[in-house]
Amino acid sequence: MLLEAPNPAFGEWAALYQRFRPAYPAAVYERLSRVLAGPRLLAVDLGAGTGQATQALLGDFERVVAEEPDPDMALLIPVRPRLVVMVEEAETAA
């Protein structure tokens, strides 16, 4: 039986999440760089959280869209040129 939280949003815990969430290994981004040929025009980070992966993607893509359903988490994504932050669920993103 799968149990689901009534509200999976981090909300008031967003700052703690940002502070303590381990970084993704560099190998993840190195692998993306190797397998993605051609111009890297757009990346979409679904469930971007506080933007950890978003920031790394900005190094390889001309434009990045960070989709995060929790507004408190999205507020912690640093504002950067070439970055669009959208507060919405991935399932409803257009």
Side-chain angles (χ1 to χ4, degrees), residues 14-88:
L16 287 173
Y17 173 90
Q18 183 180 41
R19 182 174 174 196
F20 291 108
R21 195 214 184 284
Y24 294 106
V28 170
Y29 305 107
E30 291 165 6
R31 173 83 172 154
L32 277 173
S33 255
R34 283 195 308 271
V35 300
L36 297 175
R40 297 178 184 135
L41 303 177
L42 174 66
V44 178
D45 186 1
L46 296 175
T50 59
Q52 185 183 97
T54 306
Q55 301 308 309
L57 292 170
L58 280 165
D60 282 331
F61 290 86
E62 288 185 29
R63 186 168 155 241
V64 176
V65 175
E67 301 266 350
E68 172 53 46
D70 185 323
D72 293 320
M73 296 284 274
L75 280 172
L76 295 176
I77 298 174
V79 175
R80 299 282 189 262
R82 304 178 297 111
L83 172 62
V84 174
V85 177
M86 301 183 79
V87 178
E88 63 185 338

